[in-house]
Every structure is written in C-alpha cells, then in structure tokens.
Amino acid sequence: MPIPFLKNRTRGEIRVIALYLLIAIVVTIQHSVGKATANNFLIFRASFWHLVNGQDIYAWYLQEHWDLLKYSPTCALLFAPFAVLPIALGLLCWNLLNVGALTFAMLRLLPGRAGIAALLIALLEAIGSIQVSQSNALVAGLIIMTVLALEQDQVALGATSVIAGASIKLFPLTAGIFGLLTPMRWRHIAWCAVTGVVFVLLPLIVTSPANLQMQYHSWFALQAQDNTKTGMAWMGGIIELALHRGIPHLPVQAFGAAVIIASAWFARNSWSDPTVRRLLLASLLIFSVVFNHMAESPSFVIAFAGIGIWWACLPRERWRDATVLMIVLLGSVGGSEVTPRHIRDEWHRNIQLKAIVTLIGWFALQFDIARQLRSGAQPVLAQTHSGEMQSGSIAST
C-alpha cells in the first residue's frame, strides 16, 4: 500500500491492515503447499493466455481447470500482470490486491475505529472469498472508491472505478448512480461513457476485432445461460427454495432496483451529508449481492462491507446492534467452517440463511436512510484535524 496512506494510520488501523494481509499470505501458502486448489485463480490466469492465443475464453478447458470464466474479455486482459508470474507468486499478488483494495477503501471512507469495526464485520466473508480466489473484495473496494472519488470531485477516477468494477462483474455498474447525485452529473455520464468504450475495446491490444466480437458473443451467451440458475443466495433464490420451483428473476431485481433509485431520488438534495452518502453506499453494496441472481457465499464480503459501513457510521442503538449481531452470528459465523457441516448444509445451503439475514439488514437500513433524510440532522460524521471523516460515535481518539 502507498506509504502516505499508512503514515497517519492509528495502531488499530495498522493491526487490521496487517490482519487482512496475513490472511492473504496464509491462504496463498495453503494453496501453494497444501491440497487446496486455487481453481478460480487458474481460470483467470488461463483466460489471459487464451485471449492472447485467439481461443474462446468461455470454453471448457478441463485439462487446465474446472468451471468456466464468467468475467468480461477486458477482465481477462487486465489479469496479465498475474498471469505472467509463476502461479504461487501471481496468486499471492492477486490475494494481496483484493484485501488491499478493501482495506484501503474502507479506511479512507471511515478512518479510525469506525473503519476497523466495518472491516472486522466483513472479516470472515473476506476470508471465504480469498480462500476461493474470488474478486469480490476487490469489487467491494472499487465500489467504495467510486464514492471516495466523487466526494473529492474526481469525476474521471470515479467513472474509472465504476467501469473497472463492471469489467469484472456487471452489477458494480449500478455504482454509477452516485455520480448522478453530484453537481457534475453530466461530466460523470460523459466520463463513464468514454471509459466504458475504452474498456470494451481494450482487448484489441492483444487480439483482433473479429476475435473480440466472438469473445463478447460467447460471454453474452454464457450470461443468458446463467440467468436460468435457481436457488442461489439472493432474494429470488430464497423464494425459489421456499416454493420448490423457479420464478422470473426480473420482477425481484426490479423491486430492489426501484428501492435504490427511490432512495437516490429522495437523497438528491442531501448528497452533501456524508452520513447519507455512506448509507446509500451501504445499501448499494448489500443490494449488489442480495438482488444478484448469481450470488453465492463468497460474494457476501461485498454485502458485509455494506453492513459494516451501515453499523459504523451511525450512533449506537440497541435494535441496530442486535440486528447486525444477528447477521454476523447467523450469516457469517454460522456459514463458516466454525459451524458443523451438517448445520451449514441445513441452514445455509437448503434455505440460504445468510441471504435471509442480510436481506433483513438491508430492509432495516432503508429505515435508517429514510429517517436520516426526514430528520435533516447534522452529519454524524465530523471532520477530524486531518480533514478525514470520522464517526461521531466510535471514532478514534
């Protein structure tokens, strides 16, 4: 991480950063010398070489790895720095990038004890994501960085964060809504459009236009196929498991999107309130998982980053403390290897308990957003002597 970022950190912040970095190192060692296989990393790594060689990056390559690439051709290209390294070193750098992006973004958003608390709430989910070499911690960091950039009027950086996240998983594109709440909304739209075109065409650096067209055609076909999956860890999946049949996904996702859009609309004159910004960000992070028809357990580091932000940026209230504690215990601890396998299978795989309790948190968060907008209260987050934002209730002293 950049030295200036670490320079003014508290001892507690340094410890939580070290903890996250240690997790990345330990998991890398586990995959390098143990029996565990970093299959997702192998998929990402191979996708770059398949792109360079003109092969269909969305085809099966069972001699190299199992499962299919789900990310964009641009993501395959951007994996080049990790693909050219030896597998163990590339995996270490990939894991460090993921935890580094999340810790950097979170502690910039909520310095001091607030950021530490938010990172600890997301800790077990971050471990779960890193253990399977997923990109979810990186995606969460990019979504948070979008808001950080817009707060500093860095429109180009905010747009780049939106498009970079969308090149990995499509749903981070929804973070672009924050730019519409700023006075520079038209510049934001323009930068997103320009950056989007650049990212779409970026693979032309290593492949031909015809091959790139083929890659996008394969990617869209794969996305359409994935849309038929049922029982995943999201609101629609919960309903499908309860009904024992598939349901149309679009109405459920439209409901979630409508809530996000409505919140943004009513908050359009309150963007200057840092607490409103953080609550909207927390809501979007959770929405990105619990209304994503492809959500699975490793995805929940994104949602739990949102849960952590929600809890850390508001004063303590018993009902909220109890809600977050329930989410962490039933959703995070209950879904981890700390809990016996038969309980995890019964409560998490069969009824998607983690998604249920996270949804409860998301609906509770909507109450806090509405209350904050109604009250027109002074921001909970106050400026520190360094100019960074701190939580009025659990900030560093």
Side-chain angles (χ1 to χ4, degrees), residues 125-192:
E125 299 307 314
I127 293 174
S129 181
I130 296 299
Q131 281 181 328
V132 293
S133 313
Q134 281 280 15
S135 61
N136 297 298
L138 172 59
V139 168
L142 287 170
I143 294 175
I144 296 170
M145 283 184 229
T146 299
V147 171
L148 290 170
L150 292 171
E151 286 182 341
Q152 301 298 320
D153 295 332
Q154 297 174 327
V155 180
L157 179 59
T160 302
S161 296
V162 170
I163 302 302
S167 73
I168 302 173
K169 298 189 175 186
L170 289 176
F171 63 76
L173 193 62
T174 57
I177 195 172
F178 295 129
L180 303 181
L181 303 179
T182 70
M184 297 176 291
R185 59 182 60 88
W186 292 111
R187 284 181 58 195
H188 169 75
I189 293 171
W191 270 107
C192 283

Side-chain angles (χ1 to χ4, degrees), residues 56-68:
D56 185 350
I57 61 178
Y58 302 102
W60 287 95
Y61 296 95
L62 294 178
Q63 293 183 340
E64 301 176 40
H65 51 71
W66 55 271
D67 212 344
L68 298 168

Side-chain angles (χ1 to χ4, degrees), residues 63 67 69 84 98 136 141 174 209 222 254 264 339 342 351 354 383:
Q63 293 183 340
D67 212 344
L69 177 71
V84 299
N98 273 268
N136 297 298
T174 57
L222 183 63
T339 304
H342 71 277
I351 67 169
K354 185 181 292 187
Q383 291 280 358

Side-chain angles (χ1 to χ4, degrees), residues 39-49 65 69-71 75-76 79 83 94 132-135:
N39 184 68
N40 285 312
F41 177 78
L42 296 179
I43 294 174
F44 304 150
R45 186 176 189 270
S47 69
F48 168 74
W49 296 113
H65 51 71
L69 177 71
K70 304 295 175 67
Y71 301 163
C75 182
F79 214 79
W94 173 243
V132 293
S133 313
Q134 281 280 15
S135 61

